[in-house]
């Protein structure tokens, strides 16, 4: 019996798929090379932008012919997109050949749902789940091992769906993370540990007693072995000096920080609920540059946020010019149902969003040609 997993979205979701693969292998499935030869196909979805959801719908729709050929094929859809009950119900009613629709918190029970499919279609969306379950991961990222340190997000940036589909921040116990890192390293084939969380800088604030992200970094670096530590994603409002110092001083930590700015304009940052100003952001960048020479820096930007004017967009351009990133990811604002920004007046035309994203990416291309 073979499985095939199709993954959309962020690194955390890629890691989530490693968990799904681990569960399926425990059930006796082997990794298949294509949809055609699979006995079970799992779509692990993303809801961050409309485009991500459209791709899922198109690709799930295309499975109809496979199901026709193989009546026993099991098709499961899970992840951030299905955590929204409206979307989950839409999927089930539009695609009668889907067997299982589950949300982000139901994955540990995937085996039970597969068993139950024999009795009929499965739809279940839990509201929230625990983080510390010890599941077998099937690691798929070569010499790099992803390690989840927390789940969820408390920030409610006004454009973002993540807090609604991933729940509130929950940190794993530090000793469980350290034990996982030790176990990974003892296998001998991993050279890099990448710590994952939507906002790694707020790691440990919900633990009793609290543990800081900087302490976690130092404790991981104390583990013996020849390996590199990396992490993502950092939120500028929580990137504290002790974390910057850890990156600067710990040899094992990669000199790289992904620090999404989203916009270079203070009015837009306020509307986005990012809780820092352009000046705060620049201060952090200057500190990083001073303390960590040659630190690689990357960022995410959203263009065409509701009411963004041409001048306000120019502030994003000038911030990109000032920081001179190693790379940026630029996204056109995509309204997500249920978020605050989707209900704001002054939604920006698609044409304008396209122009701005192209302008920003062209600037980035120019900057990459220049010596830093
Ligand atoms: N937790 C991370 C980002 C997770 S989502 C952080 O706070 O930085 C990854 C990126 O997708 C975000 O940084 C943002 O730039 C983009 N994004 C999120 N919601 C979006 C939306 N509704 N439209 C366009 N881009 C969005
Ligand atoms: Fe979304 Fe903001 Fe949380 Fe990042 S910090 S996941 S952008 S709400
Ligand atoms: Fe990641 Fe997309 Fe979910 S970016 S957290 S998979 S909405």
């Amino acid at each position: 019996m073979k499985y095939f997993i199709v993954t959309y979205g962020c690194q955390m979701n890629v890691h989530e798929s490693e968990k799904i693969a681990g569960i399926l292998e425990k059930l006796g499935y082997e990794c298949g090379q294509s949809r055609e030869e699979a006995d079970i196909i799992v779509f692990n979805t993303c809801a961050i932008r409309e485009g991500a959801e459209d791709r899922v719908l198109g690709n799930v729709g295309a499975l109809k012919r496979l199901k026709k050929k193989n009546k026993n094929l099991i098709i499961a859809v899970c992840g951030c997109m299905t955590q929204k009950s409206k979307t989950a119900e839409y999927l089930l009613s539009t695609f009668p050949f889907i067997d299982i629709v589950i949300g982000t918190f139901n994955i540990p029970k995937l085996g039970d749902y597969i068993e139950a499919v024999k009795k009929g279609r499965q739809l279940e969306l839990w509201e929230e789940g625990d983080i510390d379950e010890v599941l077998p991961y099937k690691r798929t990222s070569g010499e790099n091992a992803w390690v989840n340190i927390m789940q969820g997000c408390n920030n409610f940036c006004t454009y973002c769906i993540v807090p609604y589909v991933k729940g509130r921040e929950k940190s794993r116990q530090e000793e469980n993370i350290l034990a996982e890192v030790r176990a990974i390293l003892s296998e001998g084939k991993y050279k890099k540990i990448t710590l994952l969380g939507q906002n790694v800088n707020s790691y440990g604030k919900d633990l009793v007693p609290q543990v800081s992200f900087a302490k976690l970094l130092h404790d991981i670096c104390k583990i013996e072995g020849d390996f590199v530590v990396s992490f993502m994603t950092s939120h500028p409002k929580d990137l504290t000096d002790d974390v910057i110092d850890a990156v600067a001083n710990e040899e094992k930590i990669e000199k790289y920080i992904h620090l999404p700015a989203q916009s270079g304009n203070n009015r837009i940052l306020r509307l986005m609920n990012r809780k820092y100003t352009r000046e705060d952001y620049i201060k952090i960048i200057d500190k990083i540059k001073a303390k960590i020479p040659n630190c690689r820096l990357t960022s995410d930007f959203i263009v065409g946020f509701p009411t963004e004017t041409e001048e306000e967009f120019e502030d994003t351009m000038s911030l990109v010019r000032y920081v001179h990133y190693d790379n940026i990811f630029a996204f056109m604002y995509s309204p997500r149902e249920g978020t605050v920004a989707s209900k704001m007046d002054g939604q920006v035309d698609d044409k304008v969003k396209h122009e701005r994203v192209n302008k920003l990416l062209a600037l980035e291309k120019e900057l990459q040609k220049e010596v830093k």
Side-chain angles (χ1 to χ4, degrees), residues 346-357:
Q347 298 286 327
V348 173
D349 256 18
D350 271 357
K351 188 170 153 273
V352 175
K353 287 183 197 169
H354 274 285
E355 280 166 13
R356 289 182 189 166
V357 86

Side-chain angles (χ1 to χ4, degrees), residues 73-87:
L73 170 66
I74 298 175
I75 296 173
V77 189
C78 63
C80 293
M81 188 174 165
T82 43
Q83 184 63 34
K84 300 178 290 173
S85 54
K86 245 195 208 166
T87 317

Side-chain angles (χ1 to χ4, degrees), residues 56-69:
V56 170
L57 294 176
N59 285 315
V60 169
L63 294 181
K64 189 174 174 184
R65 71 185 168 88
L66 288 183
K67 189 83 175 197
K68 251 189 197 154
K69 267 200 264 171

Side-chain angles (χ1 to χ4, degrees), residues 12 48 152-164 166 169 197-199 233-238 260 262 272-274 300 302:
M12 298 184 78
I48 202 80
C153 184
N154 292 351
N155 289 320
F156 288 93
C157 302
T158 53
Y159 51 80
C160 186
I161 194 74
V162 171
Y164 301 92
K166 287 288 205 179
E169 279 173 10
Q198 286 300 349
N199 177 9
T233 296
S234 296
H235 192 301
K237 81 175 165 59
D238 298 313
Q262 311 301 357
M272 288 177 163
N273 192 30
R274 289 290 287 181
D300 296 343
I302 296 175

